[in-house]
Amino acid sequence: ARSDSIQSTFMKYEPATTGFTPSQPSTWPIPGDDFATFLPSLKRIFDETLIGEIDNVIKDANNDLRGRGHVIGLTLFCAIDTLSSYAYENASTDRCAHCGRGDRIGPKYQKFIEAFFPDDYRVHAKSIWKLYRNSLTHSWNLFEAGMLPGNDPITSNGNTLWFGLLNFHSALKTSVTNFLNHLPGDPSMQKSCIKRYNNLRTSAKA
């Protein structure tokens, strides 16, 4: 049996608690007609279960990501999948001209970077999707790009792209702030967020 202190810390997939617990989708509130009232709930989900948990891991490592780059990198790049799925739930599918295979994730992913990341990252959205996210997710290592453990800015010499993971971490946090600040003035994106949120919320069993 787990101690009371552990039970109070790890709430995922525990019996339902009272009130809204961002790490338990079964407690997510039903969004009302007023998006401004719903927005704080969405912000808590991002802050506590996405950005907050990544922050905690980096703090546990004392900001020293040497020997942890692939694990942290994969987490950062996959976080964009989550954010872009809210922003562009209805994004169109890109189809490969050669094999005809459809891709709904790539267009959302790149659009999110282009819209909400700092300027120096926006121009590299396609490379971040292809060379970083896809490579780490499917092959664990990087083969056509590089990443460093520190706060090095994104740099390209025309052949290779690289940046520091702490710098990318800051850029990701900036993108979340920009996204949340953008939402009140974009009814179309609000509908996208509500649709994605409801699809996830109604699928929750715990």
Side-chain angles (χ1 to χ4, degrees):
R2 294 187 296 177
S3 69
D4 290 342
S5 62
I6 293 178
Q7 288 179 7
S8 66
T9 302
F10 297 95
M11 298 304 298
K12 291 184 178 178
Y13 306 113
E14 295 286 346
T17 61
T18 57
F20 170 37
T21 304
S23 62
Q24 281 192 275
S26 62
T27 71
W28 289 4
I30 298 173
D33 295 331
D34 182 7
F35 188 83
T37 303
F38 163 71
L39 187 57
S41 297
L42 187 64
K43 184 177 186 300
R44 278 193 64 193
I45 292 169
F46 291 162
D47 285 348
E48 296 183 28
T49 69
L50 187 73
I51 296 302
E53 291 198 5
I54 296 172
D55 285 351
N56 289 339
V57 173
I58 292 176
K59 288 176 184 176
D60 288 344
N62 293 317
N63 285 346
D64 183 0
L65 302 188
R66 291 174 295 179
R68 301 172 176 87
H70 290 82
V71 174
I72 297 297
L74 182 63
T75 303
L76 293 170
F77 298 121
C78 286
I80 303 173
D81 281 65
T82 297
L83 295 164
S84 64
S85 72
Y86 280 90
Y88 304 109
E89 169 66 18
N90 295 317
S92 60
T93 301
D94 280 356
R95 293 203 171 274
C96 174
H98 301 289
C99 69
R101 180 185 176 197
D103 176 18
R104 291 191 68 234
I105 300 174
K108 300 179 187 181
Y109 197 100
Q110 295 174 58
K111 284 175 69 175
F112 188 87
I113 294 174
E114 291 167 352
F116 301 115
F117 264 67
D119 289 342
D120 51 345
Y121 280 95
R122 295 182 185 191
V123 296
H124 299 291
K126 185 175 182 179
S127 293
I128 292 170
W129 160 252
K130 180 180 178 182
L131 304 183
Y132 288 91
R133 185 272 189 191
N134 287 354
S135 189
L136 277 180
T137 301
H138 300 296
S139 304
W140 191 253
N141 292 284
L142 299 178
F143 302 93
E144 300 177 67
M147 59 188 184
L148 303 168
N151 198 35
D152 311 76
I154 188 166
T155 305
S156 173
N157 63 6
N159 184 47
T160 305
L161 186 69
W162 67 90
F163 48 76
L165 283 172
L166 292 177
N167 191 275
F168 191 82
H169 174 237
S170 295
L172 176 66
K173 293 172 75 171
T174 296
S175 77
V176 175
T177 299
N178 290 342
F179 176 37
L180 292 171
N181 288 341
H182 174 84
L183 279 173
D186 191 332
S188 177
M189 196 166 286
Q190 291 173 17
K191 292 179 181 179
S192 176
C193 286
I194 292 290
K195 181 178 179 181
R196 177 60 174 168
Y197 175 89
N198 277 332
N199 287 340
L200 295 174
R201 184 186 61 81
T202 55
S203 72
K205 301 293 188 291

